[in-house]
Amino acid sequence: MTLPSPNKVDELFSEWDKPGSPGFALAIIKDGKTVYKRGYGIADLEHNVTISPNSVFDIASTSKQFTAMCIALLARKGELSLDDEIQIYISEIPRYEYPITVRHLIHHTSGIRDYLTLMGLAGMRCENEYPENEIIGLIARQKELNFKPGEEHLYSNSGYFLLAEIVKRVSGESLAVFADKHIFSPLGMKTTHFHDDFTRIVRNRAIGYSVRDEGSFRIDMSILDVVGDGGIYTTVEDLCIWDENFYQNKLGGYGQDLIEEIITPGRLNSGEGIDYAFGLVIGHYRGLETISHSGGWMGYRSQMLRFPKQRFSVICLSNLGSAEPPELARKVADIYLVDDFTEQSIESVSRQTQIIEIPSVDLERNTGFYQNPKTGTVWELLVKDGKLSVEFAGMSFTLAPVSSSHFVIIDIPYNADVEFEESGLDEPSHLYVCVDGKTRDVFQRLDFAPPDSEQWMDFTGEYYCKELDVTYRISIEDGELLLNRRNSLRETLKPINKDLLEGTDITLQFVRDDFHQVAGFNMRAGYGGVRNIQFVK
């Protein structure tokens, strides 16, 4: 192929390619050769160090593929089986009604609640004051799972945290030591390591930042030593070596058979395939197969995007928490693979989609609260500036009408639609979220009948959760219903109906005793990563 001008790529990153701004490290690989690599912006604002291809970044969840590879290598050596129950290795985890296997952890089908969400709910800061056994204890205190293992696919950091612990207990070495011995050193990835000691000095480290105010930044770094679900420190140069190993595997003497295993997606109990393999997402972009994973943690964002049949990859690492490497990596691919794609870009499809104008009364009929009964997630739909919007978890996106009941979600990097059920009533009873033409989620309309402020007193008081070992307090102050919890800002709760309150990415469903008095609540949090956790008044 004739390589495009690097100037087209540089234009994508021009916003950050300047003094005083965090930025990106980029590598582009074609047919086993790095055809372009560059740094944009500043790695260390205090010392005015620019980003280069050998700047070291925390790649967050993009690390999961390395943890999964460690497990795959141990399985190949016969030191564990992917179908072993996890309690064989981590006896502290209770046995639930159904077995949880190592394979369930790999594919995010275990149903185990997400430990980072649990830590936040318990008021445990993500700081280096909680050793692994305390986090295992937190997971082990959970009385139930989000779902029966194998019934659903739900991303959970707990699975990969526990996989790291399994590596340690089976091999007798920490994940950091095992990965270095069996992956990084054999491949010559000299700067890559699992960062399980936050006091470790890292040469050429890009400091993580988040936006403080317009045009200014603050340091945003982790001092949590937990690894497995994240924790890899590396460079785009080392990741180029890792990428090449997918085409000519040098690990363990297992050849390409090992690679085929780790890029094979999992399946649910029903036999339905999922898109998640061994720390890798198997998908498609503009008609081409992709293998990828992104990451986001504190002031770092990352993306590795591979088009295996074209032997083309984009590695994009950032030290700015508001950056979007997945979007930029796709735009780089748009430049290089323009003659290979068999489908139009999302932007082109969106421009060709026949967006129509519909009367405001037809928009208003779709407003209200909708809940996903599976995850407990609540969406609020409302009309803002003449457009139908969805708000949840502090985020907002716009729905553009194709018909009175069919809307497309705009400003996202994939084809997603919302269809409202035509029930013949004044208001739809359900909405369906469709991705690439397939129904992914169903939301049921909630009756919006909030209690008046006098009835708010029913909710006030203290509530204890044994699973989290924490007490929450609900109070009324200045005409607002407030939730107070340890190590967290006070949060306003919005009453939706008699016994349902909604916060920022949490939902409280209250339960009453035989005398109709509030006895406690069940809570959902973290995009459904924690479901039905119980608090008692």
Side-chain angles (χ1 to χ4, degrees):
M1 66 181 290
T2 301
L3 297 178
S5 168
N7 293 337
K8 292 184 178 181
V9 174
D10 293 342
E11 288 173 7
L12 297 175
F13 296 88
S14 60
E15 177 182 345
W16 303 275
D17 190 22
K18 59 187 179 182
S21 173
F24 293 82
L26 173 73
I28 304 171
I29 308 165
K30 181 71 174 91
D31 296 326
K33 296 180 180 180
T34 302
V35 296
Y36 194 58
K37 59 181 179 180
R38 253 210 70 168
Y40 305 90
I42 306 300
D44 185 339
L45 294 175
E46 291 179 307
H47 300 96
N48 198 34
V49 178
T50 57
I51 294 174
S52 73
N54 67 353
S55 296
V56 178
F57 293 79
D58 181 343
I59 64 170
S61 287
T62 307
S63 309
K64 286 183 169 68
Q65 57 198 285
F66 295 98
T67 304
M69 178 61 87
C70 290
I71 290 290
L73 288 170
L74 285 171
R76 290 279 171 144
K77 293 166 65 176
E79 297 187 29
L80 61 78
S81 168
L82 300 182
D83 296 312
D84 285 341
E85 292 189 42
I86 64 172
Q87 290 84 356
I88 293 175
Y89 310 106
I90 307 177
S91 59
E92 300 96 313
I93 302 297
R95 277 187 159 81
Y96 295 93
E97 184 177 358
Y98 304 98
I100 303 171
T101 67
V102 175
R103 195 182 301 276
H104 286 138
L105 301 183
I106 291 170
H107 296 308
H108 297 292
T109 56
S110 70
I112 295 176
R113 293 167 173 164
D114 183 85
Y115 85 91
L116 288 173
T117 305
L118 291 173
M119 287 182 68
L121 296 175
M124 299 166 64
R125 298 183 186 275
C126 286
E127 298 176 354
N128 192 40
E129 56 184 272
Y130 304 105
E132 283 87 347
N133 65 333
E134 285 197 35
I135 299 175
I136 291 173
L138 175 64
I139 296 172
R141 284 202 304 272
Q142 305 310 299
K143 296 179 180 178
E144 61 183 73
L145 302 172
N146 283 329
F147 51 82
K148 177 183 175 182
E151 289 294 300
E152 295 182 36
H153 166 67
L154 179 65
Y155 194 89
S156 174
N157 288 292
S158 293
Y160 276 73
F161 164 74
L162 293 173
L163 288 173
E165 189 67 19
I166 290 173
V167 170
K168 182 168 70 173
R169 297 190 185 190
V170 170
S171 70
E173 300 171 328
S174 69
L175 179 64
V177 170
F178 185 90
D180 185 67
K181 182 182 296 185
H182 297 279
I183 299 175
F184 308 141
S185 290
L187 294 181
M189 298 171 66
K190 296 180 180 179
T191 62
T192 304
H193 67 277
F194 272 106
H195 198 67
D196 61 357
D197 176 5
F198 81 94
T199 66
R200 177 175 176 172
I201 295 172
V202 179
R203 294 187 61 192
N204 300 321
R205 179 184 348 209
I207 305 301
Y209 298 97
S210 60
V211 175
R212 183 189 299 275
D213 298 302
E214 187 68 31
S216 66
F217 306 94
R218 66 179 182 88
I219 294 173
D220 194 1
M221 302 278 287
S222 173
I223 57 172
L224 183 67
D225 284 347
V226 174
V227 296
D229 56 313
I232 286 283
Y233 272 44
T234 190
T235 65
V236 294
E237 291 185 332
D238 267 12
L239 290 177
C240 288
I241 298 172
W242 175 243
D243 182 78
E244 181 59 22
N245 192 66
F246 277 78
Y247 301 102
Q248 292 179 313
N249 177 48
K250 300 176 183 177
L251 300 179
Y254 302 116
Q256 290 306 108
D257 187 53
L258 175 63
I259 301 302
E260 287 302 315
E261 179 180 18
I262 67 168
I263 64 173
T264 300
R267 290 192 173 276
L268 301 179
N269 296 340
S270 64
E272 177 187 355
I274 61 174
D275 64 3
Y276 206 89
F278 281 60
L280 296 165
V281 178
I282 312 302
H284 291 83
Y285 178 65
R286 297 186 61 185
L288 304 182
E289 180 185 342
T290 60
I291 301 175
S292 65
H293 209 293
S294 61
W297 177 243
M298 310 302 283
Y300 294 100
R301 298 294 183 269
S302 60
Q303 170 76 334
M304 280 194 71
L305 173 63
R306 179 181 306 116
F307 294 81
K309 292 182 180 178
Q310 287 70 37
R311 289 202 63 173
F312 177 82
S313 298
V314 183
I315 302 167
C316 188
L317 311 180
S318 178
N319 63 333
L320 179 59
S322 57
E324 298 184 359
E327 177 183 352
L328 288 163
R330 287 188 292 268
K331 288 183 176 180
V332 171
D334 287 340
I335 293 171
Y336 277 79
L337 300 180
V338 63
D339 295 328
D340 295 89
F341 291 123
T342 61
E343 295 178 3
Q344 293 178 312
S345 66
I346 298 299
E347 291 80 6
S348 298
V349 172
S350 296
R351 285 194 296 268
Q352 294 179 19
T353 300
Q354 189 62 43
I355 305 300
I356 65 172
E357 294 287 336
I358 64 174
S360 58
V361 65
D362 287 336
L363 293 178
E364 292 286 352
R365 70 185 292 271
N366 295 319
T367 60
F369 293 91
Y370 295 78
Q371 186 172 38
N372 184 328
K374 181 184 291 185
T375 66
T377 302
V378 173
W379 281 9
E380 181 180 7
L381 272 67
L382 62 163
V383 175
K384 295 171 61 176
D385 301 323
K387 297 179 179 179
L388 189 62
S389 297
V390 175
E391 293 189 353
F392 77 106
M395 299 185 297
S396 177
F397 53 85
T398 302
L399 304 182
V402 177
S403 72
S404 60
S405 61
H406 183 190
F407 293 71
V408 295
I409 304 176
I410 61 177
D411 299 328
I412 59 173
Y414 49 86
N415 292 308
D417 304 74
V418 168
E419 296 186 13
F420 293 91
E421 183 178 61
E422 293 284 9
S423 60
L425 304 175
D426 290 338
E427 299 174 342
S429 59
H430 293 81
L431 69 79
Y432 302 86
V433 181
C434 304
V435 177
D436 293 327
K438 297 181 180 179
T439 300
R440 176 169 291 185
D441 292 296
V442 179
F443 285 72
Q444 183 176 354
R445 189 188 192 96
L446 297 174
D447 291 329
F448 183 58
D452 58 41
S453 56
E454 293 183 2
Q455 295 172 310
W456 289 4
M457 287 298 299
D458 283 357
F459 304 123
T460 60
E462 293 189 343
Y463 297 82
Y464 177 72
C465 177
K466 186 176 181 180
E467 293 168 283
L468 299 173
D469 189 24
V470 70
T471 297
Y472 285 7
R473 182 167 62 87
I474 297 177
S475 60
I476 301 174
E477 298 181 37
D478 299 326
E480 291 188 317
L481 200 56
L482 299 177
L483 176 67
N484 300 267
R485 46 182 172 146
R486 186 170 65 202
N487 290 331
S488 181
L489 296 174
R490 292 190 304 175
E491 183 172 353
T492 300
L493 297 173
K494 178 184 293 187
I496 296 176
N497 55 37
K498 178 184 177 182
D499 287 323
L500 184 66
L501 304 184
E502 178 75 4
T504 302
D505 198 27
I506 60 170
T507 303
L508 311 183
Q509 179 68 61
F510 286 80
V511 294
R512 295 177 181 264
D513 60 23
D514 293 339
F515 301 98
H516 306 291
Q517 301 298 309
V518 169
F521 62 79
N522 298 328
M523 182 170 64
R524 176 220 56 91
Y527 304 100
V530 170
R531 304 178 188 173
N532 200 41
I533 196 164
Q534 300 175 6
F535 284 73
V536 177
K537 191 170 186 179

